[in-house]
Amino acid sequence: QVQLVESGGGLVQAGGSLRLSCVASGRTFSRYTMGWFRQAPGKERQFVASISRAGSATYYADSVKGRFTISRDNAKNTVYLQMNSVKPEDTAVYSCARKGLTTAAEYDVWGQGTQVNVSS
């Protein structure tokens, strides 16, 4: 069973930067698209970004476009989310997931998440 483990969350001031990582177990990482989602308290899970298998295509939610960058290193079984110019409304638990595009229902394996808190 594939496992996804996120890291890199924490407390950051508004306008600052943070890089999240998600490491996948197993040998099939490069076969799947990967995505990042977030969920704030009392709110529904929200799509953030996704990336194609080779990393040649990326997709972003309008709310993060131009500020966040998704990338992957298939040799390291890792997908990243570089978060720049963060805002208090970016505060959420960020989770990575496997296989989908922009809709949560498309994804089949999820990590436990890492908390990101942005102070104003």
Side-chain angles (χ1 to χ4, degrees), residues 94-114:
Y94 285 72
S95 301
C96 64
R98 187 188 79 165
K99 197 176 178 181
L101 192 60
T102 61
T103 305
E106 299 170 318
Y107 290 79
D108 64 346
V109 179
W110 292 80
Q112 291 297 311
T114 185

Side-chain angles (χ1 to χ4, degrees), residues 7-21:
S7 62
L11 177 63
V12 59
Q13 285 190 331
S17 297
L18 209 59
R19 189 175 84 155
L20 307 183
S21 300

Side-chain angles (χ1 to χ4, degrees), residues 4-84:
L4 304 176
V5 180
E6 302 94 339
S7 62
L11 177 63
V12 59
Q13 285 190 331
S17 297
L18 209 59
R19 189 175 84 155
L20 307 183
S21 300
C22 168
V23 179
S25 63
R27 303 177 183 178
T28 61
F29 179 75
S30 62
R31 298 180 189 175
Y32 297 99
T33 60
M34 296 294 295
W36 286 96
F37 285 75
R38 66 187 182 186
Q39 188 166 20
K43 294 189 177 181
E44 292 187 353
R45 181 180 285 169
Q46 178 188 33
F47 168 75
V48 175
S50 62
I51 189 166
S52 61
R53 290 174 292 180
S56 56
T58 56
Y59 307 87
Y60 296 94
D62 288 342
S63 59
V64 306
K65 202 171 293 183
R67 299 188 297 121
F68 291 8
T69 302
I70 188 171
S71 62
R72 67 190 297 163
D73 185 339
N74 286 342
K76 295 182 178 180
N77 278 15
T78 303
V79 60
Y80 304 98
L81 185 69
Q82 178 67 43
M83 305 168 61
N84 296 332

